[in-house]
Amino acid sequence: MGLNVDLHSHSTQSDGVLAPAEVARRAHEQGVDCWALTDHDSLRGLDEAADAARALGMIFVPGVEISASFCGQTVHVVGLNIDPNHEGLRSGLARIRNSRFERAREMGVRLAQCGVEGAFEGALRQVGNPDLIGRLHFARHLVAHGHCKTLQQAFDRYLADGKRAFVPIDWAALDEAVGWILAAGGKAVVAHPGRYRYTPLQQRALFDRFRELGGQAIEVMTGSHTAPQCSHFAQVALEYGFQASRGSDFHAPGAGRVDLGELPSLPESLVPVWRDWLEDV
Ligand code: AMP
Ligand code: MN
Ligand code: MN
Ligand code: MN
């Protein structure tokens, strides 16, 4: 039995529902030995997470999930083992959070045009980190106030790409996101590659560019992938010489396909992204 490694999860510092220390506790209960907190575009939960993980005897990897743009779509890049005090990374993320705030105001306007008043203020009440607002906070507000039955319905009706309250956003360029992660001493990982709607040609361009920039890994085992997608991206990792990551993308108990630490192990043929860190363990 290898170590149980989970390198993708969210807390109340972005759009998760548990505080960083509570995510740590749940990861530990779920049998995770090595855990990363990777909130969207924020490093604020990392101190609390590190302290909690240490107290529980878990190996902690400081992380972040950066929202980036490539070929007109959003792509998420996870940074692992980053230095949370790196100025370039910090200022880049601050810029993204600012765009998020402006987008949220505009989403409030769009929702009002759909007959849903006060959604911006309502979404703000769902937020744990006053600096970070996202679509899931709007979705929770829409469900809490009876506008939608489920989070999925809130996305399908209003929030998903191209829907009535969708407001496109200029995230960081892929080049910038990878650059900040590497400058902060981390490894860059393409998150849930199976979720993007790229053509095969665009997907090749993404992986080629990512590798040119110094990106090291892709997520193979993630709560977002079906079993065939896991096999497909294992093949992609081998083809490109990428290391492979494993992460549940945990947001809330009972939400999503898998809980912390629950995914299958990586195929033996792949090099785990954590290999260099855990050599001595
Ligand atoms: P944002 O980064 O603010 O654009 O919001 C993206 C986040 O919304 C993702 O990280 C997910 O947590 C969540 N999300 C996206 N699509 C869905 C969906 N269909 N159902 C539930 N949550 C979703
Ligand atoms: Mn999220
Ligand atoms: Mn993501
Ligand atoms: Mn995520």
Side-chain angles (χ1 to χ4, degrees):
M1 262 310 274
L3 291 180
N4 188 335
V5 180
D6 191 330
L7 299 178
H8 191 148
S9 62
H10 297 274
S11 76
T12 44
Q13 292 299 335
S14 64
D15 57 6
V17 302
L18 302 181
E22 294 169 337
V23 185
R25 204 170 312 127
R26 191 176 182 94
H28 185 251
E29 281 167 10
Q30 289 280 121
V32 173
D33 304 293
C34 173
W35 167 62
L37 182 70
T38 56
D39 273 312
H40 296 287
D41 309 315
S42 175
L43 306 167
R44 261 177 60 148
L46 294 177
D47 283 347
E48 180 185 324
D51 288 348
R54 193 178 311 119
L56 293 161
M58 269 190 306
I59 301 160
F60 180 67
V61 177
V64 64
E65 181 174 19
I66 303 184
S67 310
S69 298
F70 184 78
C71 274
Q73 286 188 50
T74 299
V75 49
H76 285 172
V77 185
V78 165
L80 294 175
N81 225 4
I82 38 121
D83 169 9
N85 295 313
H86 187 271
E87 218 16 77
L89 174 62
R90 295 180 72 85
S91 60
L93 297 179
R95 194 184 90 203
I96 298 178
R97 290 195 300 270
N98 199 47
S99 310
R100 279 182 170 279
F101 190 78
E102 297 304 323
R103 174 186 68 161
R105 254 213 287 256
E106 182 60 26
M107 284 170 65
V109 173
R110 300 276 181 98
L111 281 163
Q113 289 164 355
C114 299
V116 180
E117 298 291 339
F120 175 62
E121 294 75 14
L124 277 179
R125 285 193 294 274
Q126 301 286 331
V127 153
N129 169 1
D131 228 17
L132 192 296
I133 182 160
R135 283 185 286 172
L136 201 44
H137 300 115
F138 279 86
R140 291 198 185 112
H141 169 75
L142 291 172
V143 172
H145 287 255
H147 300 288
C148 301
K149 287 207 179 68
T150 62
L151 296 174
Q152 185 60 48
Q153 194 178 66
F155 276 88
D156 291 345
R157 275 203 196 152
Y158 299 112
L159 305 172
D161 293 29
K163 296 298 158 93
R164 280 183 286 173
F166 174 72
V167 178
I169 181 166
D170 268 330
W171 303 112
L174 177 73
D175 298 28
E176 293 178 297
V178 175
W180 299 332
I181 291 167
L182 300 187
K187 278 189 184 180
V189 185
V190 176
H192 42 66
R195 282 240 305 252
Y196 311 122
R197 297 281 164 267
Y198 289 125
T199 64
L201 205 63
Q202 288 173 327
Q203 186 170 292
R204 287 210 73 84
L206 169 68
F207 291 136
D208 284 337
R209 183 70 190 143
F210 183 71
R211 188 168 55 182
E212 269 169 29
L213 292 168
Q216 294 101 328
I218 64 173
E219 286 184 347
V220 171
M221 288 300 168
T222 138
S224 303
H225 283 173
T226 60
Q229 285 178 319
C230 292
S231 309
H232 173 71
F233 287 104
Q235 212 45 50
V236 168
L238 287 172
E239 193 181 312
Y240 281 84
F242 288 137
Q243 298 181 345
S245 191
R246 174 182 190 261
S248 57
D249 206 356
F250 174 83
H251 283 76
R257 222 173 303 174
V258 298
D259 208 318
L260 288 152
E262 250 181 18
L263 292 161
S265 313
L266 287 179
E268 294 282 333
S269 53
L270 301 181
V271 178
V273 67
W274 57 87
R275 187 187 57 180
D276 308 340
W277 310 325
L278 299 187
E279 247 170 11
D280 307 327
V281 177

